[in-house]
Amino acid sequence: MGLTIPIAQIFYFEQFRVWSGFFIICSFFLLIIAILNSLKKTKNNKNLILVFSSLFFVILVAELVLRITGLRFTYFEKRFNYYESIEMQNRIKPFWIRPTHTDYILKTNEFCFDRKSNSYGLICEEPDTAILNNSKVVIALGDSFTEGDGAHKDSTWVKFLERQIITDSIEGLSFINAGICGSDPIYEYRLLQEKLLVFNPEVVIVAYGYELTDLIIRGEEERFETMRPAIKDKWWEPLFAVSHVLRVIIRPFYADASLFISLKDYRYRRNLAIQDLKKSITDFKNLSEENKFKLIIVFYPLYHEIINGKFDYHDELYKYAVDKGISCVNLLNFYLHSGVNEENVDEYYWPKDKHHNAKGYQLFAEGVYPAVLKAIEQPNKGYSLSSNF
């Protein structure tokens, strides 16, 4: 009876806890040993029990070490202390937004910040149509770095940007933070096109971070036709969820153990995802021209990209966007020129979680500010020529 809940969790992937798998492994081996003990006591059986018990002990110790050190934890296990399958994490929705009017918490072992969604499923204040109709609307799109994961709701880069605008006595602007943890440019384009254009934005800022894996898993626009991720789940994923030793064993066979795809398949899907990201940039550009708003694309660096001093792949996207005549911001260059480096990176990012803290989001806003200022000062509303920062 004690195995019922953990086993059900494995196959339904509903908050399968880290230590549930350890309990199942112990129960499985003890059951096998009990069966062997119930058999006729022969020399061969005794040797089999000894071998099996020794194997059990070695695997048990290895599982303990891997769990204690967290060497093979998935992101969900590190942050939420439970395993969730790729398909469940990336179940396709018409829009990637929060449930409306819902309180939730952005929490890790390093921080805990409250949030509340509005009627649009976004974290910003409820849009006031009367105010928005009499102001220039700036919409920010992006993932967790735009929602402000790792900081108070008043310390997102959008809020820092808004306060800087007010400090400089620039009036008549209203900001909508449409950043959502886990979002990607495909979802963001759909959100803008179908729900946010009603606010008649003057400027739209799209923040690109590390959405490559998102597109590899979810696919491009076809996701909304199939309503399923592009990567199919594996029948043996429940075993992967249970055993951290198994994760070590299968790691050499996959380019990314959490994606369950070979190196050859990963390279193919990565190239497709890069092309899809380029297409998303073009789609945003075309939408800006059709709806007469000014587009700014921001490429921001992750923790390890600061350490490495270079983007993993955003240089290619940045060049592509610049060649398309889009106003772009290269925040990696801005951060490095501002003195962020390997020695002080923990002052701007949470050391374990790797999201920005408030100081990091303030720097993010400082890097974006010149592009926004130039956009709002342009007399003619509509798509503008490239200006890169």
Side-chain angles (χ1 to χ4, degrees):
M1 191 64 186
L3 284 173
T4 303
I5 295 177
I7 289 176
Q9 287 177 331
I10 292 176
F11 289 99
Y12 288 98
F13 295 105
E14 292 182 354
Q15 297 192 4
F16 178 67
R17 298 291 169 179
V18 170
W19 289 98
S20 296
F22 184 76
F23 171 71
I24 289 175
I25 291 172
C26 290
S27 300
F28 173 77
F29 275 101
L30 290 174
L31 176 62
I32 297 300
I33 292 173
I35 292 173
L36 292 174
N37 271 320
S38 68
L39 299 176
K40 186 178 180 180
K41 298 296 186 293
T42 65
K43 185 177 181 179
N44 287 338
N45 282 348
K46 290 181 180 179
N47 290 338
L48 188 59
I49 292 173
L50 179 60
V51 170
F52 203 81
S53 298
S54 300
L55 179 63
F56 168 50
F57 178 76
V58 171
I59 292 178
L60 190 67
V61 170
E63 290 285 351
L64 271 173
V65 170
L66 289 171
R67 280 172 167 79
I68 291 172
T69 59
L71 291 176
R72 285 294 176 263
F73 277 6
T74 64
Y75 177 78
F76 260 60
E77 288 171 326
K78 289 178 182 177
R79 178 152 189 174
F80 306 115
N81 200 36
Y82 67 85
Y83 182 91
E84 191 171 71
S85 73
I86 292 177
E87 185 164 357
M88 285 294 290
Q89 290 179 43
N90 296 278
R91 50 195 178 274
I92 305 303
K93 314 168 186 178
F95 298 95
W96 194 273
I97 53 178
R98 299 284 184 180
T100 59
H101 301 300
T102 302
D103 294 310
Y104 60 98
I105 298 175
L106 299 177
K107 180 180 179 181
T108 69
N109 293 331
E110 296 174 286
F111 59 78
C112 181
F113 297 104
D114 295 330
R115 291 288 195 274
K116 183 178 180 64
S117 62
N118 60 25
S119 63
Y120 288 86
L122 307 176
I123 67 160
C124 58
E125 295 82 1
E126 187 67 28
D128 188 324
T129 305
I131 294 176
L132 295 179
N133 286 341
N134 292 289
S135 62
K136 295 180 178 180
V137 178
V138 180
I139 296 177
L141 295 163
D143 56 14
S144 54
F145 275 74
T146 300
E147 181 170 345
D149 198 1
H152 188 271
K153 63 183 179 180
D154 287 331
S155 295
T156 67
W157 67 261
V158 181
K159 278 295 182 183
F160 278 116
L161 179 63
E162 183 177 359
R163 284 194 289 270
Q164 185 60 53
I165 293 289
I166 294 173
T167 300
D168 290 347
S169 302
I170 301 173
E171 300 178 348
L173 293 181
S174 295
F175 289 79
I176 295 177
N177 187 341
I180 297 291
C181 293
S183 185
D184 64 58
I186 310 304
Y187 275 121
E188 289 149 20
Y189 178 86
R190 188 180 178 92
L191 176 63
L192 175 63
Q193 182 184 44
E194 299 194 21
K195 287 184 176 290
L196 302 182
L197 285 181
V198 66
F199 297 119
N200 193 28
E202 177 79 14
V203 179
V204 173
I205 310 168
V206 186
Y208 280 65
Y210 202 82
E211 52 286 303
L212 187 67
T213 300
D214 292 331
L215 265 69
I216 289 175
I217 295 173
R218 299 167 181 169
E220 211 241 359
E221 294 177 357
E222 73 275 4
R223 71 178 70 167
F224 301 118
E225 298 174 5
T226 63
M227 295 306 290
R228 290 182 63 86
I231 289 186
K232 309 300 180 185
D233 54 340
K234 297 291 190 291
W235 66 266
W236 45 263
E237 190 176 357
L239 301 178
F240 181 90
V242 169
S243 175
H244 291 227
V245 170
L246 177 63
R247 300 179 191 186
V248 173
I249 294 172
I250 71 170
R251 180 65 185 86
F253 300 98
Y254 295 93
D256 187 324
S258 63
L259 297 181
F260 310 129
I261 56 178
S262 67
L263 180 58
K264 181 180 179 180
D265 192 17
Y266 175 79
R267 287 171 177 167
Y268 172 74
R269 292 177 181 270
R270 183 185 187 278
N271 289 336
L272 284 182
I274 292 290
Q275 298 310 310
D276 289 340
L277 287 171
K278 289 179 178 179
K279 181 179 180 300
S280 73
I281 290 172
T282 301
D283 289 342
F284 277 117
K285 175 181 181 292
N286 293 338
L287 194 66
S288 71
E289 293 173 335
E290 293 167 7
N291 293 274
K292 308 300 182 184
F293 63 78
K294 298 159 189 172
L295 175 65
I296 300 171
I297 294 184
V298 178
F299 297 97
Y300 67 82
L302 300 185
Y303 185 100
H304 73 272
E305 291 173 324
I306 293 292
I307 302 298
N308 297 335
K310 62 179 182 179
F311 280 130
D312 288 348
Y313 61 90
H314 276 158
D315 286 332
E316 182 177 349
L317 297 184
Y318 178 81
K319 182 179 184 304
Y320 179 84
V322 170
D323 289 344
K324 290 289 183 181
I326 299 172
S327 177
C328 298
V329 179
N330 184 327
L331 281 183
L332 174 61
N333 287 344
F334 178 77
Y335 284 15
L336 295 176
H337 291 157
S338 298
V340 183
N341 53 49
E342 184 175 359
E343 295 181 358
N344 64 10
V345 64
D346 289 346
E347 296 179 20
Y348 300 88
Y349 295 78
W350 290 99
K352 294 180 181 179
D353 178 75
K354 311 302 185 189
H355 278 96
H356 273 318
N357 55 27
K359 186 175 180 180
Y361 287 124
Q362 184 174 14
L363 187 64
F364 192 124
E366 291 173 6
V368 174
Y369 178 74
V372 176
L373 188 62
K374 182 170 183 177
I376 61 179
E377 287 179 343
Q378 290 173 349
N380 297 320
K381 184 176 179 181
Y383 188 74
S384 61
L385 293 177
S386 173
S387 54
N388 307 310
F389 299 85

